[in-house]
C-alpha cells in the first residue's frame, strides 16, 4: 500500500486498519478475504484511487477511447466495427494494463477503467458469438475466435521445487480452481513436478478430491542408515520409496496418454547429470512416449539426497524401455526451475504465474513494489543484488580454473551456475513466506497437519493475486468459452452419419 494514501488517516482509522489487516492475514476462505479486503480499501482510501485514471503505469487515454468505442459499437449492434476494433488491440497488456504496480495499491482489484475495459471486451466477444448475431456465419465466427485465441495466447503456471514445502502448491491450485483461473499449461520441477503431474494425469472433475490431500499422505522419503551409506549406497535417501509413491498415484501413463486424459499440457523439468547436456522439459511434444512418473522421479532426484535417475519410456506395444539409455538425470530445479522461455515457444504463452517455495530462493525474492521501484532510495539494493550475482559467478569461475578438473567439484559448480543464473520470477508471483517452523517440515513425510498448514498458506498467498490473474486471463477465458460454444453449435448443425 502506498504510504501517501495513509497520510491523512487519523488514529481511530489506523486502529481499524490494523485490526482489518490482522483479520485479512488470518482469513479462512477467499470470500472472507475478499470482504475484508474491500473494507480495507475503503478505510485506506484505495477505493478512491481506483476511480482516479491518472497513473504513470498505464495509458488511460488509449484505454478510455477504446472502451467508449467498443461500448458504442456493441449497443448500436455494429458487429463489423466491433470486430475490427477488437482485432486491432487483442493483447493481454494493451495500454500496459498488466503492469504489476497497478495491483499493489489496493487490496482488491485495480483501476476501475481497466476493469471496465476488460469487462467490455468480454461483452463484445460474447455479443459476436451469440446466436442473435446474424452478421457472421458460425464458421466465420469459429475462424474469428480461433484467430483470437492464437493472437491473445494463453497463461501457464510454474511450480517450483521445495521438497515437502511443495504442498504449498496445493493451496495455490485450490484457490485458482475455485475461481476458474487454473491454466491449462503447467510446469513443475522437483516437488513442483509432483503437483504438475497429479493435475496432468487426472480428469478435471477429480481435482477437488485430489486437493483434499489424502494422496499425499504416503512415505515418499526414507533416509538410509549410516551402515547402508558405508556400503556405498548412493544418495542419503532411498529412491525406491519415492518411485513407489509416484507409480501408485500417476499410473503407467506416458505424456501423450496423460494429455488425452486430462486435456492439460504437463511439463516436467529435468536436468542431466552431465552438465554438458542442456536441461530439458518433458511433455507431450518433446517426449510423448516417456512415462510421467519416470520424469517426475528424475526431477525430484536432488543431488546428494537421491542418486541420479535413468528415464523409462513405454513402447507402442506397452513394453517399458530405457529413454536415452546412456543418460542420467537429476532435480530439474537445479538448472531449470521455471522453464518459461521453452514453454513460450511451444504453447504461445502470454503470461506466466510462478508458485515459488524453494527454500534457497524465497528469502531473496522481492515483492512487486520492491522490484519495480525506480526512486533513488531503491538504487543501493539494486546495486547490491546485481553485484552479489556478479561476485558469486566470479568466485565459481575462479574455483573452476583451479579445481575444475576434479569431477565432483566441476559437477557442483555446474549446479551452482544453474542456481545463480536462473530467472525465478513469472509475470505474476505467488511466493511462500515461511518461518523457521516451515523449514523443519522440508524433509518430513507429508501428514494431515503439515498438509493443512501449507495448503492454507498457499491459498492465502494466492488470494491477493486473484485480481491480477483475473485481469490477465478473463479475455482469454471468454475467447475459450465462446469457441467451445460455437464448436458445439456447429457440431449440432452437421448432418448425422448413420
Amino acid at each position: 500500500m502506498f504510504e501517501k494514501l495513509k497520510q491523512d488517516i487519523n488514529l481511530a482509522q489506523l486502529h481499524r486498519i490494523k485490526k482489518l489487516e490482522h483479520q485479512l492475514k488470518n482469513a479462512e476462505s477467499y470470500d472472507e478475504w475478499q470482504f475484508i479486503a474491500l473494507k480495507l480499501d475503503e478505510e485506506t482510501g484505495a477505493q478512491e484511487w481506483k476511480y482516479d485514471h491518472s497513473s504513470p503505469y498505464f495509458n488511460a487515454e488509449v484505454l478510455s477511447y477504446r472502451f467508449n468505442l467498443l461500448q458504442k459499437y456493441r449497443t448500436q449492434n455494429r458487429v463489423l466495427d466491433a470486430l475490427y476494433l477488437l482485432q486491432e488491440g487483442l493483447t493481454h497488456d494493451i495500454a500496459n494494463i498488466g503492469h504489476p504496480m497497478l495491483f499493489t495499491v489496493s487490496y482488491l482489484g485495480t483501476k476501475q477503467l481497466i476493469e471496465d475495459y476488460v469487462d467490455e471486451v468480454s461483452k463484445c466477444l460474447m455479443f459476436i458469438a451469440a446466436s442473435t448475431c446474424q452478421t457472421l456465419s458460425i464458421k466465420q465466427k469459429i475462424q474469428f475466435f480461433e484467430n483470437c485465441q492464437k493472437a491473445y495466447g494463453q497463461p501457464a503456471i510454474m511450480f517450483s521445487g521445495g521438497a515437502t514445502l511443495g504442498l504449498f502448491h496445493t493451496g495455490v491450485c485450490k484457490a485458482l480452481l475455485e475461481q476458474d483461473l487454473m491454466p491449462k499449461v503447467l510446469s513443475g520441477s522437483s516437488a513442483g513436478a509432483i503437483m504438475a503431474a497429479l493435475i496432468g494425469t487426472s480428469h478435471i472433475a477429480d481435482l477437488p478430491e485430489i486437493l483434499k490431500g489424502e494422496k499425499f499422505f504416503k512415505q515418499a522419503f526414507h533416509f538410509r542408515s549410516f551402515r547402508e551409506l558405508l556400503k556405498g549406497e548412493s544418495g542419503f535417501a532411498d529412491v525406491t520409496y519415492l518411485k513407489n509413491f509416484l507409480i501408485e498415484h500417476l499410473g503407467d501413463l506416458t505424456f501423450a496418454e496423460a494429455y488425452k486424459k486430462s486435456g492439460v499440457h504437463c511439463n516436467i523439468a529435468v536436468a542431466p547429470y552431465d552438465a554438458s547436456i542442456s536441461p530439458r522439459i518433458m511433455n507431450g511434444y518433446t517426449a510423448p512416449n516417456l512415462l510421467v512418473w519416470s520424469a517426475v522421479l528424475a526431477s525430484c532426484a536432488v543431488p546428494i539426497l537421491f542418486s541420479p535417475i535413468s528415464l523409462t519410456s513405454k513402447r507402442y506395444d506397452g513394453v517399458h524401455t530405457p529413454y536415452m539409455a546412456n543418460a542420467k538425470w537429476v532435480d530439474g530445479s537445479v538448472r531449470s526451475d521455471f522453464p518459461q522461455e521453452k514453454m513460450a515457444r511451444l504453447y504461445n504463452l502470454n503470461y506466466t504465474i510462478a508458485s515459488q517455495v524453494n527454500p534457497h530462493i524465497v528469502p531473496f525474492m522481492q515483492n512487486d513494489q520492491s522490484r519495480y521501484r525506480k526512486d533513488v532510495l531503491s538504487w543501493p539494493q539494486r546495486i547490491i543484488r546485481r553485484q552479489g550475482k556478479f561476485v558469486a559467478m566470479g568466485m565459481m569461475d575462479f574455483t573452476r580454473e583451479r579445481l575444475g578438473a576434479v569431477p565432483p567439484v566441476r559437477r557442483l559448480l555446474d549446479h551452482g551456475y544453474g542456481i545463480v543464473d536462473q530467472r525465478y520470477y513469472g509475470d505474476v508471483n505467488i511466493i511462500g513466506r515461511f518461518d523457521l517452523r516451515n523449514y523443519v517440515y522440508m524433509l518430513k513425510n507429508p501428514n494431515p497437519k503439515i498438509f493443512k498448514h501449507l495448503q492454507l498458506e498457499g491459498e492465502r498467498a494466492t488470494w491477493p493475486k486473484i485480481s491480477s490473474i483475473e485481469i490477465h486471463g478473463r479475455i482469454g477465458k471468454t475467447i475459450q468459452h465462446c469457441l467451445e460454444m460455437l464448436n458445439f453449435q456447429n457440431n449440432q448443425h452437421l448432418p448425422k452419419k448413420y
Side-chain angles (χ1 to χ4, degrees):
M1 183 64 61
F2 288 154
E3 290 301 319
K4 63 181 181 181
L5 292 178
K6 296 184 178 181
Q7 286 177 358
D8 298 325
I9 292 176
N10 57 42
L11 288 176
Q13 279 180 293
L14 189 60
H15 175 73
R16 289 196 297 270
I17 289 169
K18 292 292 183 185
K19 186 177 179 181
L20 286 168
E21 285 176 339
H22 177 75
Q23 292 173 356
L24 192 75
K25 185 179 177 181
N26 294 287
E28 296 289 327
S29 70
Y30 182 59
D31 287 341
E32 181 187 354
W33 186 93
Q34 208 173 16
F35 177 76
I36 299 167
L38 188 59
K39 291 177 74 173
L40 266 168
D41 283 344
E42 291 170 353
E43 284 286 354
T44 58
Q47 201 67 16
E48 297 173 15
W49 171 86
K50 294 177 187 179
Y51 290 92
D52 178 6
H53 292 178
S54 61
S55 170
Y57 299 110
F58 83 112
N59 193 321
E61 186 179 350
V62 168
L63 210 63
S64 181
Y65 174 77
R66 291 184 58 82
F67 168 75
N68 291 328
L69 268 184
L70 284 171
Q71 191 175 57
K72 176 183 174 182
Y73 294 156
R74 179 176 58 83
T75 54
Q76 293 180 0
N77 203 28
R78 292 166 60 177
V79 177
L80 295 179
D81 286 331
L83 187 143
Y84 182 82
L85 193 62
L86 285 169
Q87 289 175 321
E88 186 181 72
L90 201 60
T91 172
H92 78 286
D93 60 352
I94 186 169
N96 213 28
I97 63 173
H99 197 288
M101 290 298 280
L102 293 167
F103 300 90
T104 59
V105 178
S106 60
Y107 288 90
L108 190 66
T110 183
K111 295 286 189 181
Q112 190 62 43
L113 176 60
I114 294 175
E115 296 186 12
D116 289 343
Y117 177 78
V118 170
D119 185 55
E120 185 57 42
V121 171
S122 297
K123 284 179 179 177
C124 285
L125 290 167
M126 290 186 288
F127 159 68
I128 291 170
S131 57
T132 52
C133 174
Q134 301 293 319
T135 308
L136 303 173
S137 67
I138 289 182
K139 286 187 177 180
Q140 287 175 319
K141 290 180 182 181
I142 289 173
Q143 184 177 6
F144 166 71
F145 280 99
E146 285 177 345
N147 290 341
C148 286
Q149 202 167 47
K150 289 177 183 176
Y152 198 77
Q154 64 178 325
I157 185 166
M158 306 176 294
F159 302 111
S160 77
T164 301
L165 293 178
L167 293 174
F168 174 95
H169 301 315
T170 67
V172 176
C173 292
K174 183 170 180 284
L176 293 178
L177 279 167
E178 287 174 351
Q179 302 304 314
D180 190 27
L181 292 172
M182 190 69 187
K184 289 194 173 184
V185 179
L186 320 171
S187 83
S189 60
S190 197
I194 299 175
M195 188 73 258
L198 280 170
I199 296 174
T201 56
S202 304
H203 292 293
I204 186 72
D206 298 331
L207 294 183
E209 190 64 31
I210 290 171
L211 292 175
K212 288 181 180 177
E214 291 185 14
K215 285 195 173 187
F216 295 93
F217 306 148
K218 303 287 182 181
Q219 188 174 13
F221 298 114
H222 176 78
F223 295 96
R224 300 185 194 278
S225 66
F226 185 67
R227 183 179 297 177
E228 288 174 313
L229 292 172
L230 287 177
K231 287 180 181 178
E233 296 286 356
S234 180
F236 285 101
D238 188 344
V239 76
T240 306
Y241 287 81
L242 180 58
K243 180 179 178 179
N244 293 338
F245 169 86
L246 294 173
I247 292 174
E248 180 183 351
H249 295 302
L250 303 180
D252 197 47
L253 296 175
T254 64
F255 278 98
E257 292 167 342
Y259 177 72
K260 287 180 181 177
K261 180 178 179 180
S262 67
V264 167
H265 294 284
C266 175
N267 297 265
I268 304 299
V270 293
Y273 188 59
D274 178 1
S276 65
I277 305 172
S278 299
R280 290 186 59 182
I281 51 169
M282 304 303 194
N283 54 48
Y285 294 125
T286 63
N289 302 315
L290 181 64
L291 289 162
V292 177
W293 68 258
S294 173
V296 176
L297 184 63
S299 192
C300 290
V302 181
I304 301 175
L305 186 62
F306 292 112
S307 55
I309 301 297
S310 297
L311 294 174
T312 306
S313 58
K314 186 165 69 173
R315 212 166 56 187
Y316 55 87
D317 56 1
V319 175
H320 289 192
T321 59
Y323 180 92
M324 293 185 66
N326 297 324
K328 296 271 189 179
W329 306 85
V330 295
D331 181 0
S333 68
V334 171
R335 290 170 60 196
S336 188
D337 204 27
F338 290 159
Q340 45 198 317
E341 290 182 10
K342 294 179 181 179
M343 289 199 300
R345 291 195 290 269
L346 287 172
Y347 302 110
N348 187 30
L349 302 183
N350 55 15
Y351 75 98
T352 55
I353 304 166
S355 179
Q356 178 61 262
V357 290
N358 245 324
H360 60 284
I361 300 301
V362 164
F364 303 101
M365 292 194 76
Q366 298 174 291
N367 60 29
D368 290 331
Q369 280 178 292
S370 298
R371 285 181 69 207
Y372 291 97
R373 281 178 63 191
K374 294 181 180 179
D375 57 280
V376 176
L377 293 177
S378 70
W379 291 2
Q381 189 181 61
R382 287 177 182 275
I383 292 169
I384 290 169
R385 282 178 169 270
R386 289 178 183 175
Q387 290 302 312
K389 180 177 178 178
F390 178 77
V391 169
M393 298 290 280
M395 289 176 65
M396 286 188 284
D397 285 335
F398 180 84
T399 307
R400 180 187 285 275
E401 288 172 5
R402 285 149 182 80
L403 300 172
V406 181
V409 174
R410 186 179 66 249
R411 198 167 288 118
L412 189 64
L413 288 170
D414 289 334
H415 293 326
Y417 276 114
I419 291 170
V420 173
D421 204 33
Q422 284 189 59
R423 183 171 182 261
Y424 290 100
Y425 291 96
D427 296 295
V428 178
N429 299 286
I430 302 170
I431 304 169
R433 299 296 184 189
F434 301 132
D435 54 30
L436 290 175
R437 175 181 60 169
N438 295 88
Y439 287 100
V440 174
Y441 294 156
M442 267 194 63
L443 295 178
K444 284 188 175 181
N445 284 300
N447 61 48
K449 179 185 175 183
I450 294 174
F451 177 84
K452 184 178 179 182
H453 173 74
L454 290 175
Q455 184 176 74
L456 188 56
E457 288 293 312
E459 287 184 85
R460 285 172 174 164
T462 306
W463 293 335
K465 303 293 184 176
I466 293 291
S467 295
S468 175
I469 295 169
E470 209 271 341
I471 289 293
H472 276 88
R474 184 174 174 188
I475 293 171
K477 277 282 183 187
T478 304
I479 292 169
Q480 177 190 327
H481 291 158
C482 289
L483 194 53
E484 289 170 356
M485 178 186 72
L486 289 165
N487 280 321
F488 176 78
Q489 290 174 1
N490 190 47
N491 291 335
Q492 293 292 98
H493 286 88
L494 290 174
K496 295 182 180 179
K497 295 180 180 180
Y498 294 96

